[in-house]
Amino acid sequence: DIQMTQSPSTLSASVGDRVTITCRASQSISTWLAWYQQKPGKAPKLLIYKASSLDRGVPSRFSGSGSGTDFTLTISSLQPDDFATYYCQQYNNIGTFGQGTKVEIK
Amino acid sequence: EVQLVQSGAEVKKPGESLKISCKASGYSFTSYWIGWVRQMPGKGLEWMGIIHPGDSETRYRPSFQGQVTISADKSISTAYLQWSSLKASDNAMYYCARPVMRGDGHYFDYWGQGTLVTVSS
């Protein structure tokens, strides 16, 4: 399996902050990467696919970038609704998820 | 509107069998794959397997092959995940989700609300 490593595991931030989460693949996955948001007790929600394409209805403050092995998810101005756990997932081969990054209130 | 509605929480004993369900609506059930994702308590997400209801082709993540069975009934647009003999390690939330296929891989664009499975003696 391709291993996906996210950093940091936990991130403390304030409303209005610019937030960046990193995801690294154990081998090149081109741009076959998705990002999800999960709130406590809820199902994950797709945010971004193909590394940088926003899913329908996702606010434009979310953006994704990267290719090969290194990827980032950026929230340009953190909103109260954005406190959640974020997962990356490679889908170059089958599909493996990162371990998650929890964005908490500072 | 695409919706995936899962069956309710289950409490079972080790060794018991279980089948949970996921009813799809809002799209052509036989035209898309559908899959299952496990989330153990306090942990991340693991893709378990997917099925194409149109022809019943099924693909399992190797670590789940032989541990669970994925099936679908296209007459009622419902996918299933079943165990023949539950273990304590099967304690988890299980999500059904619709994969967007890309070559050998896929990501998930729609998710069910989850079914909590508790296995305890």
Side-chain angles (χ1 to χ4, degrees):
Chain A
D1 282 8
I2 298 173
Q3 306 302 315
M4 305 300 292
T5 304
Q6 289 182 234
S7 60
S9 297
T10 306
L11 186 161
S12 298
S14 302
V15 173
D17 284 354
R18 181 181 182 87
V19 166
T20 298
I21 298 168
T22 297
C23 179
R24 176 164 288 173
S26 60
Q27 65 188 74
S28 177
I29 58 169
S30 183
T31 55
W32 306 119
L33 186 95
W35 288 97
Y36 302 86
Q37 176 193 67
Q38 187 179 33
K39 296 180 181 178
K42 299 292 187 183
K45 174 189 170 186
L46 177 66
L47 296 176
I48 287 170
Y49 60 96
K50 207 164 183 293
S52 61
S53 296
L54 251 60
D55 195 34
R56 62 189 84 79
V58 174
S60 58
R61 64 180 179 272
F62 290 92
S63 64
S65 65
S67 66
T69 60
D70 294 314
F71 301 86
T72 58
L73 172 70
T74 300
I75 309 172
S76 60
S77 178
L78 197 65
Q79 298 302 300
D81 192 47
D82 301 338
F83 292 98
T85 299
Y86 294 84
Y87 293 93
C88 63
Q89 182 216 351
Q90 68 80 17
Y91 55 100
N92 181 67
N93 179 261
I94 309 180
T96 46
F97 293 88
Q99 82 280 14
T101 295
K102 183 178 181 181
V103 177
E104 60 180 25
I105 299 173
K106 190 171 185 178
Chain B
E1 179 195 7
V2 173
Q3 284 196 308
L4 301 174
V5 179
Q6 298 183 228
S7 50
E10 301 275 359
V11 179
K12 292 288 188 179
K13 291 181 167 50
E16 291 187 331
S17 62
L18 176 64
K19 191 174 188 177
I20 63 175
S21 66
C22 170
K23 183 167 176 62
S25 62
Y27 71 98
S28 173
F29 185 64
T30 54
S31 298
Y32 291 82
W33 293 76
I34 190 162
W36 292 91
V37 176
R38 183 176 77 175
Q39 187 167 38
M40 299 177 78
K43 300 297 184 184
L45 303 163
E46 299 172 273
W47 166 76
M48 301 174 70
I50 56 173
I51 186 167
H52 194 288
D55 60 9
S56 296
E57 180 183 349
T58 310
R59 301 176 187 175
Y60 293 93
R61 188 188 189 98
S63 55
F64 289 97
Q65 181 87 46
Q67 307 305 306
V68 296
T69 301
I70 294 172
S71 60
D73 185 339
K74 57 188 177 184
S75 70
I76 54 172
S77 300
T78 300
Y80 300 97
L81 177 66
Q82 69 180 87
W83 295 259
S84 59
S85 180
L86 286 160
K87 310 180 192 65
S89 56
D90 294 319
N91 268 306
M93 180 71 82
Y94 293 88
Y95 294 101
C96 67
R98 192 180 78 168
V100 178
M101 305 301 288
R102 175 263 145 199
D104 291 331
H106 53 269
Y107 63 94
F108 299 97
D109 61 351
Y110 289 97
W111 294 69
Q113 83 278 18
T115 296
L116 183 64
V117 173
T118 302
V119 183
S120 174
S121 54

